Amino acid sequence: MAAKSDNLSPDSRRRGIPRVPVSWIVLIAFDLCIVALVCAQDQPDSKQQPSDEAQVIELAGPVGIDDSDSQFEAIDVYVDSGTNPLAAYQFELASTTPGVKIVGIEGGEHAAYSDAPYYDSRAMRNNRVIIAAFNTGKDLPVGRSRVARIHVEIQGSGARSYRTRLSVSATVEGRRIPARVSLARIVI
Amino acid sequence: MSDDQGQPESTEPDLPEEVTSELKRMFRPSIEISEAVDKAVMADAQNILAPGVRVSPHRPAPGMGRWAFGLVAAGSLAAVLVLVMLPNNPQPNGVAENAQSVEAMNSTPEYVAKRDIDGNGRVDILDAYTLSRMIEDSTAGISKDQNNDNILDDNDVNLVAETAVTL
């Protein structure tokens, strides 16, 4: 029988490969670019990710209570800015062990940071928060100073681990300075 | 071969008649089948193998390829338009609480860029600090107005700081 295969090029006819028009190849490549663009937009914005290294701090927890019971405690957050006055700070705290809920946030010990810091209200009843504050005055804490107190509800006994990341520590005129964050457990 | 016409006599030894005829039968030229015969055979085969089923041609109807190409191209262009027009962060659907709407608005790239006061590519508390200092020193231009009320005050600073701590 005389076979007719108009969609086959002379070369591909021998191999049995259908010939694809160039316009279709261009269109398929165009669609692939769109898919790549969509995938790229779905990626998280790397500029929003803090670049500072996080540290994990373990604090003692309640002792001798049932897993179904909970206890209210507080976590004091200290920032040590060394010899530089601390004009601004921002840190993230997240519990890496279950059974920790943030229930309140208040300011620190120094007058410059005695007001409640900035935080997202969605942190309440959650286990993660970003806390920040600044002061443009001249009376600023130096050295190790408690900048915030975080009230938490802890369910069950045992120690808890917290991941902290100090993303901003700055002195007057907004100059970034090295600093260190530390936590302390307060039983109320 | 002995039956070559007008050719010089072959020096090869003569083959037996049976071998010659068998070779001729094997390598004879293929018979061209006319289109009418081809169609008739196909019709008979269809009646026997799949009676009542109409065999559609393999090739699409003339113009169908162009239509399909046009449809796919139009779809691709529509997808590009949707991608260009939609913001990166979708707005909340339906009637959302006012605070949630503000948060969603604050997280759009335009607002994030506006609140990046020091232009380092991310919004943090230093942007709020910088804006506060600029307002105190009266060096902030109206372009730093965050809530579009044409007044530079603590409300603008608070918006920047709230963006910095947004989860």
Side-chain angles (χ1 to χ4, degrees):
Chain A
M1 276 178 258
K4 291 185 177 180
S5 55
D6 291 345
N7 287 331
L8 297 179
S9 66
D11 196 36
S12 59
R13 199 176 285 153
R14 274 182 241 120
R15 299 177 196 161
I17 304 168
R19 184 170 62 93
V20 180
V22 175
S23 56
W24 277 98
I25 293 173
V26 171
L27 187 59
I28 289 168
F30 181 66
D31 287 346
L32 287 175
C33 289
I34 293 174
V35 170
L37 187 63
V38 170
C39 292
Q41 283 196 338
D42 285 342
Q43 299 297 321
D45 188 359
S46 60
K47 286 181 179 177
Q48 294 299 316
Q49 301 298 320
S51 58
D52 310 86
E53 286 190 10
Q55 58 174 331
V56 176
I57 300 172
E58 185 175 283
L59 296 178
V63 179
I65 65 169
D66 294 337
D67 287 345
S68 57
D69 292 337
S70 60
Q71 178 172 307
F72 290 95
E73 297 184 353
I75 300 169
D76 280 349
V77 182
Y78 294 86
V79 174
D80 188 349
S81 59
T83 56
N84 296 302
L86 184 67
Y89 71 86
Q90 177 172 329
F91 72 91
E92 179 181 347
L93 180 139
S95 167
T96 58
T97 45
V100 177
K101 284 180 187 173
I102 297 167
V103 294
I105 294 169
E106 62 177 281
E109 60 186 344
H110 194 280
Y113 295 109
S114 57
D115 290 341
Y118 291 101
Y119 64 92
D120 192 333
S121 59
R122 284 178 294 187
M124 293 299 110
R125 312 302 296 173
N126 213 323
N127 70 335
R128 174 174 168 256
V129 66
I130 299 173
I131 291 176
F134 70 87
N135 192 298
T136 56
K138 293 189 186 324
D139 182 18
L140 299 171
V142 177
R144 186 174 184 263
S145 176
R146 179 168 66 84
V147 295
R149 173 170 286 177
I150 303 171
H151 294 268
V152 293
E153 180 183 2
I154 298 181
Q155 188 171 17
S157 300
R160 299 294 193 275
S161 292
Y162 300 91
R163 188 186 67 245
T164 61
R165 177 162 43 202
L166 186 67
S167 56
V168 173
S169 53
T171 188
V172 290
E173 298 176 350
R175 183 166 54 86
R176 290 179 186 267
I177 53 170
R180 188 172 176 81
V181 66
S182 56
L183 306 177
R185 174 192 179 219
I186 303 293
V187 179
I188 300 170
Chain B
M1 303 290 175
S2 62
D3 60 345
D4 286 342
Q5 295 175 355
Q7 300 250 341
E9 195 172 334
S10 172
T11 56
E12 293 178 4
D14 289 340
L15 293 169
E17 188 62 28
E18 291 176 355
V19 175
T20 306
S21 61
E22 185 64 20
L23 285 171
K24 282 182 178 176
R25 193 186 65 78
M26 286 176 64
F27 294 104
R28 67 188 172 188
S30 62
I31 301 168
E32 289 292 333
I33 298 171
S34 67
E35 193 173 347
V37 173
D38 193 19
K39 283 182 178 176
V41 171
M42 286 298 291
D44 284 346
Q46 182 181 333
N47 286 334
I48 293 168
L49 298 175
V53 176
R54 182 178 173 80
V55 177
S56 59
H58 290 293
R59 275 204 312 166
M64 282 296 289
R66 289 180 183 174
W67 275 104
F69 182 82
L71 283 172
V72 176
S76 301
L77 285 175
V80 169
L81 284 175
V82 168
L83 276 174
V84 169
M85 292 175 70
L86 281 180
N88 281 344
N89 297 317
Q91 301 291 327
N93 294 325
V95 180
E97 290 183 12
N98 191 35
Q100 288 177 332
S101 300
V102 170
E103 282 173 5
M105 188 177 69
N106 289 350
S107 64
T108 56
E110 296 81 10
Y111 279 83
V112 170
K114 192 174 183 181
R115 278 152 203 188
D116 182 14
I117 304 295
D118 57 14
N120 67 348
R122 74 182 193 193
V123 179
D124 56 30
I125 197 66
L126 269 183
D127 294 296
Y129 175 86
T130 304
L131 180 59
S132 183
R133 287 286 304 266
M134 292 169 79
I135 292 173
E136 285 179 7
D137 300 342
S138 302
T139 56
I142 200 65
S143 63
K144 305 296 183 188
D145 180 20
Q146 302 294 317
N147 55 3
N148 299 321
D149 62 354
N150 293 323
I151 301 170
L152 287 170
D153 54 16
D154 285 346
N155 293 327
D156 301 300
V157 176
N158 289 339
L159 278 176
V160 176
E162 286 164 8
T163 302
V165 298
T166 298
L167 291 175

